[in-house]
Amino acid sequence: MAAGLTVVLVFVLIITLPFLGQPLHVDDAIFWDFAKNSLENPAQLHLSDYYLKGEDVSIFRDTHPPVSWLYLSLIMLAAGEKEMVLHAGFIVFPLIAGISMFFLARRFTRNALLATILFLSTPLVMVMSHTLMGDLPMLAFWLAATAAYIYGVDKKDLSLLLLSGLLATLAIFTGYQALALLVLLPGYALLKQGFSWRFYLPLLFPLAAFGLFTQYNLSAYGELPRFTHVQGLSVQHDDVLGRFLGTLLRTGGISIFPVLLALLFSLRRKLYLILPVVLAGSAAIAFFGYGDNLPASSSLLFTVFLTGAVMAVAAVVSELAAQSAHAIKRQAPDTDFVFLGLWMLVYMGLIIILLPHSSAKYILPILAPLILIFMRELELGFSIPSTLKTVSVITIIVTAFSALVLSVADYKLAQVYKDYSLELRERHSPEGTVWFVGEWGFRHYMESEGYRYLTSASSAPREGDIIVKPGLMDWPLSESVNQRMELIERTEVRRSLPVQNMDFQANAGFYGNHWGLLPYVITSHPVETFEVFHVGAGNTPS
């Protein structure tokens, strides 16, 4: 065990240390803003007079609970605000996730270390371990709570069950999706030990803590905690289909290497017989259903990703059906598989039904059961230890390679916004104010340089000002501003790496299907495009 945990530690350092300098990216900037605010107002759950997506928000309440940004503020207080320092402080979370996965794999597989390294090698975990968002910290606490609970139930150890309750509380206050633990964990106890209050009482602590948190939100803001920025459930056909396909494509594309995912799950119950049908169906959807919006290379990736995910889901569903048949016949079912299969499928369903869109970060809780089931399938399919290890190592190598490429692509995208913000003053010396449109790290670094955020309703830009707009994030401006804008420069930023995870044209949206269905694409498109407009004369506010 000591040797295995040492390998996990070393591997976590290998996948994180080279990326410590990654600039703030995507929602990192929001967590940074909340962390800065917490240095002065640690109990405050909102930002005052905030701007987001072109709107002026007097009281901005985020969809993330406070643990991640409070931890980030502690790092700032102790060591400063440089990206390298902040990322170094967040290495603890992939480490907790890796250690927890190691113990889960010891419980559910015979090759714990291989399963854990495969988990850490996935593009999903590797890319998200380079961010300051709350999603990987939530996963770390989720897996730690699950491991403690499972061992606590198996050993009937009250101290482990109490620890699980504490860890589940941290998970919930790091990401609201972790409320699913209040159903998942009792489900394991019910499968293994039947109904017993001692297995459920420790979970009253996170339930009570969240109840108090909800009451605080009601008293302070007159509203429940902000679970989503979208009003109501989006159940229109196109929205549900987009989340369904997006979830499958991300599961197939950024978990285990998709070709090996599809092939391995074809072994169970002769599912190789349906593999050609699934492959043909996926290709038909890609080339005929979405062909008008997908370049040929993206259609090919769509086919491979969707095939891998569908084969995995088909294998899990078929085995759950077989285990249900055993139970009906009063034969002992494989409750381990039932637990892992339901964990995976039920959470996928929650994403499709409850969450506003599909995103890589949303499928993080699916990854652990998928990896554990994958390793169990390997152990069933390859009984010779040397063959099993060879196949496992090959899977880890190709998966880790794809993860490294995607991590570099994400790093380069984050770097583009910082570089452009720092170089803008050298490119332009306007007579007046520099305004900008955009979010993510671009907003953070532009504001750091003293440039001003331009909202949709503002008519403040005057003659001689300039407005900068990036291609991946935009919103409409007021008509009075639009009429006075003249394009003076369009800059395409290109990189030699032909892989991108955010690209409208090629339909790639790692962080959300607003940008594209696929988690990444192979393309020669620019990484980002910046447009600079000169503001001319016209009717301006007095």
Side-chain angles (χ1 to χ4, degrees), residues 99-101 103-104 107-108 140-169 171 178 180-207 336 339 343:
I99 292 172
S100 302
M101 183 66 181
F103 281 99
L104 286 170
R107 169 62 183 77
F108 289 103
F141 291 131
W142 176 309
L143 296 182
T146 304
Y149 191 84
I150 287 172
Y151 279 88
V153 169
D154 291 348
K155 298 180 179 181
K156 299 180 180 179
D157 187 326
L158 182 59
S159 61
L160 285 175
L161 292 171
L162 292 173
L163 175 62
S164 174
L166 174 62
L167 292 167
T169 304
L181 287 169
L182 299 179
V183 177
L184 173 69
L185 299 183
Y188 178 82
L190 192 62
L191 282 169
K192 290 297 183 179
Q193 302 288 351
F195 183 82
S196 175
W197 280 109
R198 62 180 167 178
F199 297 129
Y200 306 134
L201 286 174
L203 296 177
L204 292 178
F205 180 69
L207 186 62
D336 284 355
F339 172 73
W343 175 359

Coordinates of all heavy atoms in Angstrom, one line a residue, residues 99-101 103-104 107-108 140-169 171 178 180-207 336 339 343:
I99 N -5.7 9.3 -4.1 CA -5.6 8.4 -3.0 C -7.0 7.8 -2.7 O -7.1 6.6 -2.5 CB -5.1 9.2 -1.7 CG1 -3.7 9.6 -1.9 CG2 -5.3 8.4 -0.5 CD1 -3.2 10.6 -0.8
S100 N -8.0 8.5 -2.8 CA -9.4 8.0 -2.6 C -9.7 6.9 -3.7 O -10.3 5.9 -3.4 CB -10.4 9.1 -2.7 OG -10.1 10.1 -1.7
M101 N -9.3 7.2 -4.9 CA -9.5 6.3 -6.0 C -8.7 5.0 -5.8 O -9.2 3.9 -6.1 CB -9.1 6.9 -7.3 CG -9.4 6.0 -8.5 SD -11.2 5.7 -8.8 CE -11.1 4.7 -10.3
F103 N -8.0 3.6 -2.9 CA -8.7 2.8 -1.9 C -10.0 2.2 -2.5 O -10.4 1.1 -2.2 CB -9.0 3.6 -0.6 CG -7.8 3.7 0.3 CD1 -7.0 4.8 0.2 CD2 -7.5 2.6 1.1 CE1 -5.9 4.9 1.0 CE2 -6.3 2.7 1.9 CZ -5.6 3.9 1.9
L104 N -10.7 3.0 -3.3 CA -11.9 2.4 -4.0 C -11.5 1.3 -4.9 O -12.2 0.2 -5.0 CB -12.6 3.5 -4.8 CG -13.4 4.5 -4.0 CD1 -13.8 5.7 -4.9 CD2 -14.6 3.9 -3.3
R107 N -10.9 -1.9 -3.2 CA -12.1 -2.5 -2.8 C -12.8 -3.2 -3.9 O -13.4 -4.3 -3.8 CB -13.0 -1.5 -2.2 CG -14.4 -1.9 -1.9 CD -14.6 -3.0 -0.9 NE -16.0 -3.4 -0.8 CZ -16.7 -4.1 -1.7 NH1 -16.1 -4.5 -2.8 NH2 -17.9 -4.4 -1.4
F108 N -12.8 -2.6 -5.1 CA -13.6 -3.2 -6.2 C -12.8 -3.9 -7.3 O -13.4 -4.5 -8.2 CB -14.4 -2.0 -6.9 CG -15.5 -1.5 -6.0 CD1 -15.3 -0.3 -5.3 CD2 -16.7 -2.2 -5.9 CE1 -16.3 0.2 -4.5 CE2 -17.7 -1.7 -5.1 CZ -17.5 -0.5 -4.4
A140 N -12.7 15.3 -5.4 CA -11.8 14.8 -4.4 C -12.5 14.4 -3.1 O -12.4 13.3 -2.6 CB -10.7 15.8 -4.1
F141 N -13.3 15.4 -2.6 CA -14.1 15.1 -1.4 C -15.2 14.0 -1.6 O -15.5 13.2 -0.7 CB -14.7 16.4 -0.9 CG -13.7 17.4 -0.4 CD1 -13.8 18.7 -0.8 CD2 -12.7 17.0 0.5 CE1 -12.9 19.7 -0.3 CE2 -11.8 17.9 1.0 CZ -11.9 19.3 0.6
W142 N -15.8 14.1 -2.8 CA -16.8 13.0 -3.2 C -16.2 11.6 -3.1 O -16.8 10.8 -2.4 CB -17.3 13.3 -4.6 CG -18.3 12.4 -5.2 CD1 -18.2 11.0 -5.2 CD2 -19.5 12.7 -5.8 NE1 -19.3 10.5 -5.9 CE2 -20.1 11.5 -6.2 CE3 -20.2 13.9 -6.1 CZ2 -21.3 11.4 -6.9 CZ3 -21.4 13.8 -6.8 CH2 -22.0 12.6 -7.2
L143 N -15.1 11.4 -3.7 CA -14.4 10.1 -3.7 C -13.9 9.7 -2.3 O -14.0 8.6 -1.9 CB -13.3 10.1 -4.7 CG -13.7 10.3 -6.2 CD1 -12.4 10.2 -7.1 CD2 -14.7 9.2 -6.6
A144 N -13.4 10.7 -1.6 CA -13.0 10.4 -0.2 C -14.1 10.0 0.7 O -14.0 9.1 1.5 CB -12.3 11.6 0.4
A145 N -15.3 10.7 0.5 CA -16.5 10.4 1.3 C -17.0 9.0 0.9 O -17.4 8.2 1.8 CB -17.5 11.4 1.1
T146 N -17.0 8.7 -0.3 CA -17.4 7.4 -0.8 C -16.6 6.3 -0.3 O -17.0 5.2 0.2 CB -17.5 7.4 -2.3 OG1 -18.3 8.5 -2.8 CG2 -18.1 6.1 -2.8
A147 N -15.2 6.5 -0.4 CA -14.3 5.4 0.1 C -14.5 5.2 1.6 O -14.5 4.0 2.0 CB -12.9 5.8 -0.3
A148 N -14.5 6.3 2.4 CA -14.7 6.1 3.8 C -16.0 5.4 4.1 O -16.1 4.6 5.0 CB -14.6 7.5 4.5
Y149 N -17.1 5.8 3.4 CA -18.4 5.2 3.7 C -18.4 3.7 3.4 O -18.9 2.9 4.1 CB -19.5 5.9 2.9 CG -20.9 5.5 3.3 CD1 -21.5 6.2 4.4 CD2 -21.6 4.5 2.7 CE1 -22.8 5.8 4.8 CE2 -22.9 4.2 3.1 CZ -23.4 4.8 4.1 OH -24.7 4.5 4.5
I150 N -17.9 3.3 2.2 CA -17.9 1.9 1.8 C -17.1 1.1 2.8 O -17.5 0.0 3.2 CB -17.3 1.8 0.4 CG1 -18.3 2.3 -0.6 CG2 -16.9 0.4 0.0 CD1 -17.9 2.5 -2.0
Y151 N -15.9 1.5 3.2 CA -15.1 0.8 4.1 C -15.8 0.8 5.5 O -15.7 -0.2 6.2 CB -13.7 1.4 4.2 CG -12.7 0.9 3.1 CD1 -12.7 1.6 1.9 CD2 -12.0 -0.2 3.3 CE1 -11.8 1.2 0.9 CE2 -11.1 -0.7 2.3 CZ -11.0 0.1 1.1 OH -10.2 -0.4 0.1
G152 N -16.5 1.9 5.8 CA -17.2 1.9 7.1 C -18.3 0.9 7.1 O -18.6 0.3 8.2
V153 N -19.1 0.8 6.0 CA -20.2 -0.1 6.0 C -19.6 -1.6 6.0 O -20.1 -2.4 6.7 CB -21.0 0.1 4.7 CG1 -22.0 -1.0 4.5 CG2 -21.8 1.4 4.8
D154 N -18.6 -1.8 5.2 CA -18.0 -3.2 5.1 C -17.5 -3.6 6.5 O -17.7 -4.8 6.8 CB -16.9 -3.2 4.1 CG -17.4 -3.1 2.6 OD1 -18.7 -3.1 2.5 OD2 -16.6 -2.9 1.7
K155 N -16.9 -2.7 7.2 CA -16.2 -3.1 8.5 C -17.1 -2.8 9.7 O -16.7 -3.0 10.8 CB -14.9 -2.4 8.6 CG -13.9 -2.8 7.5 CD -12.6 -2.0 7.8 CE -11.5 -2.4 6.7 NZ -10.2 -1.7 6.9
K156 N -18.3 -2.1 9.4 CA -19.2 -1.7 10.4 C -18.4 -0.8 11.4 O -18.6 -0.9 12.6 CB -19.9 -2.9 11.1 CG -20.7 -3.7 10.2 CD -21.4 -4.9 10.9 CE -22.2 -5.7 9.9 NZ -22.8 -6.9 10.5
D157 N -17.7 0.1 10.8 CA -16.8 1.0 11.6 C -17.4 2.4 11.7 O -17.5 3.1 10.7 CB -15.4 1.1 10.9 CG -14.4 1.8 11.7 OD1 -14.8 2.8 12.4 OD2 -13.2 1.5 11.7
L158 N -17.9 2.8 12.9 CA -18.6 4.0 13.1 C -17.7 5.2 12.8 O -18.1 6.2 12.3 CB -19.2 4.1 14.5 CG -20.0 5.4 14.8 CD1 -21.2 5.5 13.9 CD2 -20.4 5.4 16.3
S159 N -16.4 5.1 13.2 CA -15.5 6.2 13.0 C -15.3 6.6 11.5 O -15.3 7.7 11.1 CB -14.1 6.0 13.6 OG -13.5 4.8 13.0
L160 N -15.3 5.5 10.6 CA -15.2 5.8 9.2 C -16.5 6.4 8.6 O -16.4 7.2 7.7 CB -14.8 4.5 8.5 CG -13.4 4.0 8.6 CD1 -13.2 2.6 7.9 CD2 -12.4 5.0 7.9
L161 N -17.6 5.9 9.2 CA -18.9 6.5 8.7 C -19.0 7.9 9.1 O -19.5 8.7 8.3 CB -20.0 5.6 9.4 CG -20.1 4.2 8.8 CD1 -21.2 3.4 9.7 CD2 -20.6 4.2 7.4
L162 N -18.5 8.3 10.3 CA -18.6 9.7 10.7 C -17.6 10.5 9.9 O -17.9 11.7 9.5 CB -18.2 9.8 12.2 CG -19.2 9.2 13.2 CD1 -18.6 9.2 14.6 CD2 -20.5 10.0 13.1
L163 N -16.5 10.0 9.6 CA -15.5 10.7 8.7 C -16.2 10.9 7.3 O -16.0 11.9 6.7 CB -14.2 9.8 8.5 CG -13.2 10.4 7.5 CD1 -12.7 11.8 7.9 CD2 -12.0 9.4 7.4
S164 N -16.9 9.9 6.8 CA -17.6 10.0 5.5 C -18.6 11.1 5.6 O -18.7 11.9 4.6 CB -18.3 8.7 5.2 OG -19.0 8.8 4.0
G165 N -19.3 11.3 6.7 CA -20.3 12.3 6.8 C -19.6 13.7 6.7 O -20.1 14.6 6.1
L166 N -18.4 13.8 7.4 CA -17.7 15.1 7.3 C -17.2 15.4 5.9 O -17.3 16.5 5.4 CB -16.5 15.0 8.3 CG -15.5 16.2 8.2 CD1 -16.3 17.5 8.6 CD2 -14.4 16.0 9.2
L167 N -16.7 14.4 5.2 CA -16.2 14.6 3.9 C -17.3 14.8 2.9 O -17.1 15.6 2.0 CB -15.4 13.3 3.4 CG -14.1 13.1 4.2 CD1 -13.6 11.7 3.9 CD2 -13.0 14.1 3.8
A168 N -18.5 14.2 3.1 CA -19.6 14.5 2.2 C -20.1 15.9 2.4 O -20.5 16.6 1.4 CB -20.7 13.5 2.6
T169 N -20.0 16.4 3.6 CA -20.3 17.9 3.9 C -19.4 18.8 3.1 O -19.8 19.7 2.5 CB -20.2 18.2 5.4 OG1 -21.1 17.3 6.1 CG2 -20.7 19.6 5.7
A171 N -17.8 18.0 0.4 CA -18.1 17.8 -1.0 C -19.3 18.7 -1.4 O -19.2 19.4 -2.4 CB -18.3 16.4 -1.3
A178 N -22.7 17.3 -5.4 CA -22.4 16.3 -4.4 C -23.6 16.0 -3.5 O -23.5 15.0 -2.7 CB -21.2 16.7 -3.6
A180 N -25.9 14.5 -4.5 CA -26.2 13.1 -4.9 C -25.7 12.1 -4.0 O -26.2 10.9 -3.9 CB -25.7 12.9 -6.3
L181 N -24.6 12.4 -3.2 CA -24.1 11.5 -2.2 C -25.1 11.1 -1.2 O -25.0 10.0 -0.6 CB -22.9 12.1 -1.5 CG -21.6 12.2 -2.3 CD1 -20.6 13.1 -1.6 CD2 -21.0 10.9 -2.6
L182 N -26.1 11.9 -0.9 CA -27.1 11.6 0.1 C -28.0 10.5 -0.3 O -28.8 9.9 0.5 CB -27.9 12.9 0.5 CG -27.1 14.0 1.1 CD1 -28.0 15.2 1.3 CD2 -26.3 13.6 2.3
V183 N -28.0 10.2 -1.6 CA -28.7 9.0 -2.2 C -27.7 7.9 -2.5 O -28.0 6.7 -2.2 CB -29.5 9.4 -3.4 CG1 -30.2 8.2 -4.1 CG2 -30.5 10.5 -3.1
L184 N -26.6 8.2 -3.1 CA -25.6 7.2 -3.5 C -25.1 6.4 -2.3 O -25.1 5.1 -2.3 CB -24.4 7.9 -4.2 CG -23.2 7.0 -4.5 CD1 -23.6 6.0 -5.6 CD2 -22.0 7.9 -4.9
L185 N -24.7 7.0 -1.2 CA -24.1 6.3 -0.1 C -25.1 5.4 0.6 O -24.8 4.2 0.9 CB -23.4 7.3 0.8 CG -22.3 8.1 0.2 CD1 -21.6 9.0 1.3 CD2 -21.2 7.3 -0.4
P186 N -26.3 5.9 1.0 CA -27.2 4.9 1.6 C -27.6 3.8 0.6 O -27.9 2.7 1.1 CB -28.5 5.8 1.8 CG -27.9 7.2 1.9 CD -26.8 7.3 1.0
G187 N -27.5 4.0 -0.7 CA -27.8 3.0 -1.6 C -26.8 1.8 -1.5 O -27.2 0.6 -1.6
Y188 N -25.5 2.2 -1.2 CA -24.5 1.1 -1.0 C -24.9 0.3 0.2 O -24.8 -0.9 0.3 CB -23.1 1.7 -0.9 CG -22.1 0.7 -0.7 CD1 -21.6 -0.1 -1.7 CD2 -21.6 0.4 0.6 CE1 -20.6 -1.1 -1.5 CE2 -20.7 -0.6 0.9 CZ -20.2 -1.3 -0.2 OH -19.2 -2.3 0.1
A189 N -25.2 1.0 1.3 CA -25.5 0.3 2.6 C -26.7 -0.6 2.4 O -26.7 -1.7 2.9 CB -25.8 1.4 3.7
L190 N -27.7 -0.1 1.7 CA -28.9 -0.9 1.5 C -28.6 -2.2 0.7 O -29.1 -3.3 1.0 CB -30.0 -0.1 0.7 CG -31.4 -0.6 0.7 CD1 -32.0 -0.8 2.1 CD2 -32.3 0.3 -0.2
L191 N -27.7 -2.1 -0.3 CA -27.4 -3.2 -1.1 C -26.6 -4.2 -0.3 O -26.7 -5.4 -0.5 CB -26.5 -2.8 -2.3 CG -27.2 -2.2 -3.5 CD1 -26.2 -1.6 -4.5 CD2 -28.1 -3.2 -4.3
K192 N -25.7 -3.7 0.6 CA -24.8 -4.6 1.3 C -25.3 -5.1 2.6 O -25.0 -6.3 3.0 CB -23.4 -3.9 1.5 CG -22.7 -3.7 0.2 CD -22.2 -5.0 -0.4 CE -21.4 -4.8 -1.7 NZ -21.0 -6.1 -2.3
Q193 N -25.9 -4.3 3.4 CA -26.3 -4.6 4.7 C -27.8 -4.6 5.0 O -28.2 -4.9 6.1 CB -25.5 -3.7 5.7 CG -24.0 -3.7 5.6 CD -23.4 -5.0 6.1 OE1 -24.1 -5.8 6.8 NE2 -22.1 -5.2 5.9
G194 N -28.6 -4.1 4.1 CA -30.0 -3.9 4.3 C -30.2 -2.6 5.1 O -29.3 -1.8 5.3
F195 N -31.4 -2.4 5.6 CA -31.7 -1.2 6.3 C -31.2 -1.2 7.7 O -31.5 -2.2 8.5 CB -33.2 -1.0 6.3 CG -33.6 0.3 7.0 CD1 -33.6 1.5 6.3 CD2 -34.0 0.3 8.3 CE1 -33.9 2.7 6.8 CE2 -34.4 1.5 8.9 CZ -34.3 2.7 8.2
S196 N -30.4 -0.2 8.1 CA -29.9 -0.1 9.5 C -29.6 1.4 9.7 O -28.9 2.0 9.0 CB -28.7 -0.9 9.7 OG -28.2 -0.7 11.0
W197 N -30.2 1.9 10.8 CA -30.1 3.3 11.1 C -28.6 3.8 11.3 O -28.3 4.9 11.0 CB -30.9 3.7 12.3 CG -32.3 3.9 12.0 CD1 -33.4 3.1 12.4 CD2 -32.9 5.0 11.3 NE1 -34.6 3.6 11.9 CE2 -34.3 4.7 11.2 CE3 -32.4 6.1 10.6 CZ2 -35.2 5.6 10.5 CZ3 -33.3 6.9 10.0 CH2 -34.6 6.7 9.9
R198 N -27.8 2.9 11.8 CA -26.4 3.3 12.1 C -25.6 3.7 10.8 O -24.7 4.4 10.9 CB -25.7 2.2 12.8 CG -25.5 0.9 12.1 CD -24.8 -0.1 12.9 NE -24.9 -1.4 12.4 CZ -24.3 -2.5 12.9 NH1 -23.5 -2.3 14.0 NH2 -24.4 -3.7 12.4
F199 N -26.1 3.1 9.6 CA -25.4 3.5 8.4 C -25.9 4.8 7.8 O -25.3 5.4 6.9 CB -25.6 2.4 7.4 CG -25.0 1.1 7.8 CD1 -25.7 -0.1 7.7 CD2 -23.7 1.0 8.2 CE1 -25.2 -1.3 8.1 CE2 -23.1 -0.2 8.6 CZ -23.9 -1.4 8.5
Y200 N -27.0 5.3 8.3 CA -27.6 6.5 7.7 C -27.5 7.7 8.7 O -27.4 8.8 8.2 CB -29.1 6.3 7.5 CG -29.4 5.1 6.6 CD1 -30.4 4.1 6.9 CD2 -28.6 4.8 5.5 CE1 -30.6 3.0 6.1 CE2 -28.8 3.7 4.7 CZ -29.8 2.8 5.0 OH -30.0 1.7 4.2
L201 N -27.3 7.5 9.9 CA -27.2 8.6 10.9 C -26.0 9.5 10.6 O -26.2 10.7 10.7 CB -27.1 8.0 12.3 CG -28.4 7.5 12.9 CD1 -28.1 6.8 14.3 CD2 -29.5 8.6 13.0
P202 N -24.8 9.0 10.2 CA -23.7 9.9 9.9 C -24.0 10.9 8.7 O -23.4 12.0 8.7 CB -22.6 9.0 9.5 CG -22.9 7.7 10.2 CD -24.4 7.6 10.1
L203 N -25.0 10.5 7.9 CA -25.3 11.4 6.7 C -26.3 12.5 7.1 O -26.6 13.4 6.3 CB -25.9 10.6 5.6 CG -24.9 9.6 5.0 CD1 -25.6 8.7 3.9 CD2 -23.7 10.2 4.4
L204 N -26.8 12.4 8.4 CA -27.6 13.5 8.8 C -26.8 14.8 9.0 O -27.4 15.9 9.0 CB -28.3 13.1 10.2 CG -29.4 12.0 10.1 CD1 -29.9 11.7 11.5 CD2 -30.5 12.4 9.1
F205 N -25.5 14.7 9.3 CA -24.7 15.9 9.5 C -24.6 16.7 8.2 O -24.9 17.9 8.3 CB -23.3 15.5 9.9 CG -22.4 16.6 10.2 CD1 -22.6 17.5 11.2 CD2 -21.3 16.9 9.3 CE1 -21.8 18.6 11.4 CE2 -20.5 17.9 9.5 CZ -20.7 18.8 10.5
P206 N -24.2 16.1 7.0 CA -24.3 17.0 5.8 C -25.7 17.5 5.5 O -25.8 18.6 5.0 CB -23.7 16.1 4.7 CG -23.8 14.7 5.2 CD -23.7 14.8 6.7
L207 N -26.7 16.7 5.8 CA -28.0 17.1 5.5 C -28.4 18.3 6.4 O -29.0 19.3 5.9 CB -29.0 15.9 5.7 CG -30.5 16.2 5.4 CD1 -30.6 16.4 3.9 CD2 -31.3 14.9 5.7
D336 N -21.6 -5.4 -6.0 CA -20.6 -4.4 -6.3 C -20.8 -3.8 -7.7 O -20.8 -2.5 -7.8 CB -19.2 -5.1 -6.3 CG -18.7 -5.3 -4.9 OD1 -19.4 -4.9 -3.9 OD2 -17.6 -6.0 -4.7
F339 N -23.9 -1.5 -7.7 CA -23.6 -0.1 -7.1 C -22.9 0.7 -8.1 O -23.3 1.9 -8.3 CB -22.8 -0.3 -5.8 CG -22.3 1.0 -5.2 CD1 -23.2 1.9 -4.6 CD2 -20.9 1.3 -5.3 CE1 -22.7 3.1 -4.1 CE2 -20.5 2.5 -4.8 CZ -21.4 3.4 -4.2
W343 N -24.4 4.1 -9.9 CA -23.7 5.3 -9.7 C -23.4 6.0 -11.0 O -23.7 7.2 -11.2 CB -22.4 5.0 -9.0 CG -21.4 6.2 -8.7 CD1 -21.6 7.5 -9.1 CD2 -20.2 6.1 -8.1 NE1 -20.5 8.2 -8.8 CE2 -19.6 7.4 -8.1 CE3 -19.4 5.1 -7.5 CZ2 -18.4 7.7 -7.5 CZ3 -18.2 5.4 -6.9 CH2 -17.7 6.7 -6.9

